[in-house]
Amino acid sequence: MKHRVAATVLTSLLCLAAAQTTPAPAPPATPPTGPGSYGGTVSGVDLMDVDFMFIGAHPDDDGGVSATFARYALDQGYKGTVITLTGGEGGGNATGTETGRALGLIREEEERRSLAMLGIDSPHFLGLTDFYFTLSAEETEKKWGGQAFVCDVIRLVRLRRPEVLVTMWPGPGTHGQHQMAARAATLAYNYAGDSTYCPELKKEGIAPFTPLKLYYYPPSADAATLAVPTDDVSRTARVRYADLKNIAQYNYRTQGWDTFSSLPAKTANPETFMLVASRVATPERETSLLDGVFVAGTASPTGFQFSARPKAYEIGAAQPSDVTVTFTNTSKEKLDALQLRLTGPAGWTVTGPSAARPLAPGETVSTTFRVTAPAGTAADRFALTASYTAKLGAQAISGRTLTYVRPVPAVVATFTPTFDIAGYQAFARETGTDWVIGNQATRLPLVIGQVTPVKVTVTNRGSAPASGQVNLTLPAGLTVRDAPRYTLNPGQSQELTVNVEVSPAALPAGRQSALLPVTLNTGDYKDTAGAYLLPSLTIPRVSTPPKIDGDLSDLSAGAGGSIGPADLWWRTKPDNDADASASFKLAYDEQFLYVGLSVKDELVACNIAPDDVKAQLRSDAIGVTVDPTGASRDTSTTLMAAAFPCTTAGFGARGFRDADANQGVMEETAPGMQVASRKTDAGYDIEFRLPWAAMPTQPKAGQTIGLNLVMYDGDTKDARPGANISQSGIAWAAFSWGGKQALPYLWPRITLGQ
């Protein structure tokens, strides 16, 4: 094992110390030479060598592996490291006013101190820009200058030589920078061992290196393939791993983690991982990230690379498809009677050669098997088991690994995915990780009270012409107008339009928006999408502008609505309307958009200092997000306005922009913007005047734009100035963390009345 090198070096140093009191032996006539040797010392690359690596976007992203890494580094003698792509300077600051690069430097130090407690003493920060919060991988890639940063990650993988890579979830539904960090880790797993990838690194004299396992943070509990306990005691730290994790994460004070990192830890949940790819045999039930790499099974020694990969994840039912199984003898011993096998579920047919053969050290053998799923097999993910048997001297050895395929019928109809899901699907196919997507539902933004065209793609994979009709199974309140028919030749695809009408009756009680399942059927094949029901309004053009003074009476002619506890998207549901709710009015004129809210809030927190006006999520605040085109893909082409109703200086609103391309106080980022608030018996009233001129584009009368209203609530009495007391978030269009205020295509639709 590589981690034993450290013990060998330590022994050498101890021997050197002892030699200071005894006569030194005569030096050898010829200095040792060769790999790993430089004048009798270990090489610089050997000093870099680690066994496992986490790749994330921000300091603290490794929180999900803290206890596991401590187990391996502190107590089992393995070495690990962390690559953090940014300094986290785009996040909030719960302890002071530092922002930008100054905050990034603080967060990097927090990370170093936390990791040191876990036994990780040499993390890396790539210095990419942590800009405003985004859910867009595409925007992240653009801000980071394309794919160049991937080679920066691969440089470190080749230098540090980790056999095990752990990273985040690479698909939609999480932070865009998390997605790109995970995609870089996936590319590093695939290509760090390929000398033709990132060819510019050759000039630095770095040798290619091939990692052996890749894990993601699982997207859901049922996707996890490994759970590592945290409720047992670290023999080095002498506390439970869960407690050690909390102690380490207490360092993340700028993110407010010190407020909930208790000792002892209130919970000791296992840390979970999803094995995405492996080049080594793995047991049926893993107990360690290191299984098959450093931890050998009863009859499965380490020292061999073993993998299986289908030609395509989606295969035609009743149509043969190829799966290649590859074995490399990376040991120093010859193998005899090596046999490779592939088995599928009951009823499946697998054919291919299985003759036994010897395999010399360093030799690779690949065998292609042909797999056929029976006609009528459900279009689900199925595991195929690749296995080997051989003799290592007199010892019989064996191992197994899994790969996955999804049989589909001849005719398949799917919802045309949104651009972000389509982008991830393409990446997953290119990297051979499409099996982890599962049946990820695309998103269908549907406007309440309107007819929305929905695109559907029908493909004929069969050998005969096909025709028929697509059918949608819809929840109550949604109807289809004239389901279209298709006629397809073999191998042909056709995009159809299905018009879906949404009635207000589709909304659950108390909700202004909703996420409901929609199913598309062609024969026995089904595809599922999430229908995001969006509210809409036509707002009036006013001839007399309202005065921005916190008195909402002069906005009474505006179009209105309300939000309440049922419109939850963030954390804890408010107790009742008195705890958190609001009614609102909207109007506009040629120069400005006007927004007024009458907010109910039993405890209005005023813990933000006047010179610390940013990051509305921290305390009581109102956000107004405007997409002036109604077609933005991310928040870089929007205006994300917000205001605190009061500060530590007293009641009186302070406005700013956050999470768009021009963040900062309103005087600097949105000249002409005004905000005002008044304390009321039930909470507060607050007004916004948002200049069209401050927006990336200026809409005209009759156009439809995107606009969402978000209320943040924190009910901490006497909260420390600047503290993050976020407790609840409700919104006019309110969805889960993966579909909230950073996805403009899921904002309500506002038409500017003539």
Side-chain angles (χ1 to χ4, degrees):
M1 299 181 192
K2 294 197 305 178
H3 71 284
R4 289 178 179 168
V5 172
T8 303
V9 173
L10 179 59
T11 302
S12 300
L13 292 174
L14 292 173
C15 291
L16 179 61
Q20 294 177 355
T21 59
T22 58
T30 304
T33 59
S37 177
Y38 181 77
T41 67
V42 292
S43 72
V45 174
D46 287 333
L47 295 175
M48 298 288 284
D49 190 87
V50 296
D51 304 308
F52 53 87
M53 172 186 284
F54 176 84
I55 300 173
H58 314 102
D60 72 32
D61 282 349
D62 49 84
V65 299
S66 297
T68 301
F69 276 22
R71 178 185 298 274
Y72 300 151
L74 286 182
D75 292 339
Q76 297 182 13
Y78 296 95
K79 293 189 67 177
T81 192
V82 169
I83 297 178
T84 302
L85 302 188
T86 77
E89 59 272 14
N93 186 349
T95 63
T97 59
E98 299 85 3
T99 189
R101 186 59 190 139
L103 175 59
L105 291 170
I106 295 171
R107 292 194 65 184
E108 288 176 13
E109 183 61 22
E110 291 176 339
E111 174 83 331
R112 289 188 187 94
R113 295 192 180 204
S114 176
L115 291 174
M117 292 182 173
L118 309 174
I120 310 296
D121 58 8
S122 56
H124 299 270
F125 300 92
L126 292 190
L128 296 174
T129 301
D130 178 24
F131 53 96
Y132 48 85
F133 181 83
T134 182
L135 287 172
S136 172
E138 295 77 12
E139 182 185 19
T140 299
E141 182 177 359
K142 182 179 178 180
K143 293 278 188 182
W144 285 353
Q147 288 281 305
F149 76 95
V150 174
C151 289
D152 293 331
V153 172
I154 288 179
R155 174 188 289 109
L156 283 168
V157 171
R158 289 177 177 175
L159 277 172
R160 306 231 59 179
R161 300 185 295 184
E163 276 79 4
V164 178
L165 297 179
V166 185
T167 190
M168 314 188 80
W169 176 248
T174 184
H175 199 302
Q177 295 176 22
H178 295 174
Q179 295 179 51
M180 291 309 295
R183 295 186 194 186
T186 305
L187 292 170
Y189 175 84
N190 279 5
Y191 300 116
D194 181 351
S195 62
T196 65
Y197 202 84
C198 299
E200 65 274 19
L201 297 181
K202 288 183 179 180
K203 299 177 182 179
E204 301 176 20
I206 307 172
F209 175 81
T210 302
L212 300 180
K213 296 177 82 175
L214 173 67
Y215 289 89
Y216 290 164
Y217 283 167
S220 61
D222 59 358
T225 60
L226 170 64
V228 180
T230 67
D231 58 353
D232 52 331
V233 174
S234 162
R235 65 174 181 269
T236 301
R238 299 191 178 185
V239 295
R240 295 180 308 164
Y241 289 106
D243 300 325
L244 177 58
K245 176 177 182 174
N246 269 18
I247 294 169
Q249 293 181 351
Y250 189 89
N251 286 290
Y252 299 127
R253 290 191 278 275
T254 59
Q255 303 308 292
W257 288 33
D258 57 322
T259 61
F260 57 80
S261 295
S262 61
L263 186 66
K266 295 177 182 177
T267 60
N269 298 321
E271 293 181 337
T272 57
F273 306 91
M274 180 183 192
L275 179 61
V276 175
S278 177
R279 294 185 171 99
V280 294
T282 54
E284 289 190 25
R285 184 171 182 176
E286 285 195 299
T287 59
S288 168
L289 297 173
L290 311 179
D291 282 346
V293 178
F294 301 118
V295 180
T298 304
S300 301
T302 60
F304 310 111
Q305 292 188 17
F306 182 53
S307 61
R309 183 166 179 174
K311 183 177 181 181
Y313 169 58
E314 287 196 342
I315 64 174
Q319 297 180 17
S321 183
D322 290 345
V323 177
T324 300
V325 179
T326 303
F327 187 99
T328 300
N329 183 1
T330 51
S331 76
K332 297 181 180 180
E333 304 292 332
K334 175 188 174 185
L335 291 181
D336 290 311
L338 173 69
Q339 272 191 304
L340 304 181
R341 298 180 178 87
L342 185 73
T343 57
W348 289 42
T349 301
V350 180
T351 60
S354 59
R357 54 159 294 170
L359 201 66
E363 189 178 356
T364 296
V365 61
S366 291
T367 298
T368 298
F369 295 89
R370 184 146 288 187
V371 176
T372 307
T377 302
D380 294 326
R381 184 174 69 196
F382 289 88
L384 304 175
T385 303
S387 60
Y388 76 86
T389 57
K391 284 191 175 182
L392 180 61
Q395 180 187 5
I397 63 172
S398 61
R400 45 84 75 187
T401 192
L402 299 179
T403 192
Y404 300 90
V405 292
R406 181 178 184 235
V408 294
V411 178
V412 171
T414 58
F415 292 104
T416 303
T418 48
F419 67 93
D420 44 0
I421 292 178
Y424 172 54
Q425 289 175 342
F427 171 84
R429 283 192 298 269
E430 291 166 5
T431 55
T433 58
D434 41 345
W435 73 269
V436 309
I437 299 174
N439 298 324
Q440 183 178 32
T442 194
R443 302 182 178 117
L444 302 178
L446 304 178
V447 181
I448 299 167
Q450 298 181 19
V451 175
T452 304
V454 173
K455 299 295 184 180
V456 171
T457 301
V458 186
T459 301
N460 181 7
R461 298 169 176 262
S463 56
S467 61
Q469 180 174 297
V470 296
N471 298 295
L472 270 69
T473 302
L474 303 171
L478 276 67
T479 55
V480 171
R481 292 189 176 182
D482 304 323
R485 297 186 62 83
Y486 60 86
T487 299
L488 297 169
N489 292 321
Q492 186 179 13
S493 292
Q494 182 180 2
E495 187 173 71
L496 306 175
T497 299
V498 181
N499 293 311
V500 179
E501 185 173 9
V502 181
S503 162
L507 292 173
R511 293 275 302 183
Q512 315 307 312
S513 61
L515 171 56
L516 302 175
V518 175
T519 303
L520 175 65
N521 305 277
T522 46
D524 293 331
Y525 184 84
K526 297 180 180 180
D527 188 34
T528 301
Y532 289 77
L533 310 190
L534 307 177
S536 64
L537 277 178
T538 297
I539 66 174
R541 179 171 181 165
V542 294
S543 56
T544 302
K547 185 178 180 181
I548 307 302
D549 56 3
D551 181 352
L552 305 184
S553 60
D554 53 359
L555 254 179
S556 59
S562 62
I563 56 177
D567 299 307
L568 182 74
W569 64 265
W570 170 246
R571 288 194 172 170
T572 307
K573 184 178 180 180
D575 295 335
N576 46 46
D577 283 352
D579 185 17
S581 63
S583 59
F584 61 85
K585 293 287 186 177
L586 302 171
Y588 83 103
D589 61 22
E590 187 175 316
Q591 290 184 288
F592 302 104
L593 172 67
Y594 302 101
V595 181
L597 297 97
S598 183
V599 175
K600 291 183 179 180
D601 185 355
E602 293 173 316
L603 195 162
V604 182
C606 301
N607 67 310
I608 303 300
D611 63 349
D612 189 25
V613 176
K614 60 181 182 294
Q616 65 270 28
L617 187 67
R618 293 183 295 163
S619 188
D620 288 346
I622 296 295
V624 183
T625 67
V626 185
D627 172 14
T629 68
S632 291
R633 290 189 166 192
D634 55 65
T635 60
S636 67
T637 52
T638 71
L639 182 143
M640 303 275 283
F644 296 110
C646 55
T647 68
T648 54
F651 221 86
R654 287 287 286 125
F656 55 100
R657 292 174 68 170
D658 185 77
D660 64 17
N662 192 16
Q663 301 180 102
V665 294
M666 64 184 187
E667 294 83 1
E668 298 175 2
T669 61
M673 176 176 167
Q674 291 183 1
V675 295
S677 63
R678 287 188 179 185
K679 185 76 176 71
T680 66
D681 291 341
Y684 59 92
D685 291 344
I686 189 167
E687 279 185 291
F688 292 77
R689 188 185 78 174
L690 303 177
W692 296 118
M695 301 184 193
T697 57
Q698 289 76 55
K700 304 297 183 183
Q703 288 184 229
T704 297
I705 67 174
L707 185 149
N708 203 9
L709 301 173
V710 186
M711 176 182 173
Y712 303 88
D713 184 38
D715 291 334
T716 302
K717 188 176 182 180
D718 301 323
R720 174 174 56 80
N724 186 337
I725 60 169
S726 178
Q727 179 178 322
S728 301
I730 59 175
W732 190 21
F735 304 110
S736 66
W737 175 261
K740 59 187 188 67
Q741 82 274 27
L743 289 178
Y745 65 78
L746 296 182
W747 293 350
R749 300 293 185 254
I750 300 298
T751 300
L752 305 181
Q754 301 284 359

